[in-house]
């Protein structure tokens, strides 16, 4: 009877506790940040990138920035745009920011973070990853230009 109980306990421990540890509950996504000098530009950017499915979610918030430009210290209000996207879209999003951005040298920073599997799945579904992977960069530029024309 002891052997049966020990075997049963080992079986339960393995399948309940070990399997729970092996179950994937987190996944990586990329968060990028850039800045704009007006709320209107930041909002337009956010809407365009969401429409193009380059981002599943974009947050915009106001900050006061101090920086050196042309050997002079500058201090201005800016709007940080925080872009949540899928890791496979990183290069496409960076290239699109460079093409869209009015600054001569836009700030583009990014990092990968862990998130819940539920948020990751929502983000992946929202971005329709397979469709985006098949879209050429030139198609994205054209769609961005068309969207800019529609907003005027």
């Amino acid at each position: 009877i002891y052997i049966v109980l020990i075997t049963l306990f080992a079986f339960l421990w393995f399948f309940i506790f070990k399997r729970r540890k092996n179950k994937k509950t987190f996944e990586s996504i990329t968060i990028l940040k850039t800045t704009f000098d007006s709320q209107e530009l930041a909002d337009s950017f956010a809407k365009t990138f969401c429409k193009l499915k380059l981002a599943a979610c974009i947050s915009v918030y106001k900050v006061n920035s101090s920086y050196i430009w042309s050997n002079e210290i500058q201090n201005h209000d800016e709007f940080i745009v925080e872009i949540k996207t899928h890791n496979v879209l990183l290069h496409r999003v960076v290239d699109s920011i460079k093409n869209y951005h009015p600054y001569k040298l836009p700030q583009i920073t990014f990092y990968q973070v862990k998130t819940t599997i539920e948020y990751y799945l929502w983000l992946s579904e929202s971005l329709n990853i397979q469709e985006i992977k098949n879209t050429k960069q030139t198609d994205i530029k054209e769609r961005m230009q068309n969207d800019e024309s529609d907003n005027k």
Side-chain angles (χ1 to χ4, degrees):
I1 197 156
Y2 290 117
I3 294 173
V4 171
L5 287 174
I6 291 170
T7 305
L8 182 60
F9 178 76
F11 178 80
L12 288 173
W13 179 82
F14 179 78
F15 281 101
I16 293 173
F17 297 108
K18 272 292 205 188
R19 290 186 88 192
R20 187 177 298 173
K21 286 181 182 177
N22 293 337
K23 187 176 180 183
K24 200 169 195 176
T25 56
F26 300 104
E27 192 60 69
S28 274
I29 65 169
T30 299
I31 297 178
L32 296 96
K33 290 185 180 183
T34 190
T35 56
F36 289 90
D37 61 2
S38 75
Q39 179 83 48
E40 295 76 26
L41 276 174
D43 290 343
S44 174
F45 173 89
K47 287 177 186 170
T48 299
F49 272 54
C50 285
K51 276 185 192 175
L52 294 174
K53 295 193 181 249
L54 292 172
C57 177
I58 297 179
S59 303
V60 177
Y61 44 99
K62 187 177 181 177
V63 295
N64 185 273
S65 298
S66 295
Y67 54 93
I68 299 170
W69 188 255
S70 299
N71 273 343
E72 291 186 25
I73 296 176
Q74 306 288 320
N75 187 283
H76 297 282
D77 286 341
E78 290 187 301
F79 296 85
I80 292 179
V81 177
E82 185 178 76
I83 304 153
K84 290 92 166 176
T85 193
H86 196 282
N87 295 339
V88 301
L89 297 176
L90 174 61
H91 293 288
R92 189 169 288 186
V93 173
V94 168
D95 289 343
S96 298
I97 292 169
K98 288 177 182 177
N99 290 325
Y100 182 92
H101 211 290
Y103 287 6
K104 192 176 193 176
L105 178 63
Q107 168 203 322
I108 302 172
T109 56
F110 60 89
Y111 49 96
Q112 290 186 342
V113 296
K114 294 284 186 190
T115 188
T116 62
I117 193 70
E118 295 84 3
Y119 187 85
Y120 172 81
L121 292 172
W122 166 81
L123 181 134
S124 297
E125 184 180 318
S126 297
L127 295 177
N128 195 359
I129 293 302
Q130 288 302 354
E131 180 185 319
I132 291 294
K133 284 181 181 177
N134 297 330
T135 304
K136 295 178 185 169
Q137 184 66 30
T138 53
D139 295 341
I140 291 173
K141 285 181 192 175
E142 185 177 304
R143 288 165 63 189
M144 285 173 67
Q145 290 168 348
N146 290 341
D147 189 61
E148 285 175 13
S149 299
D150 292 344
N151 288 337
K152 290 181 182 177

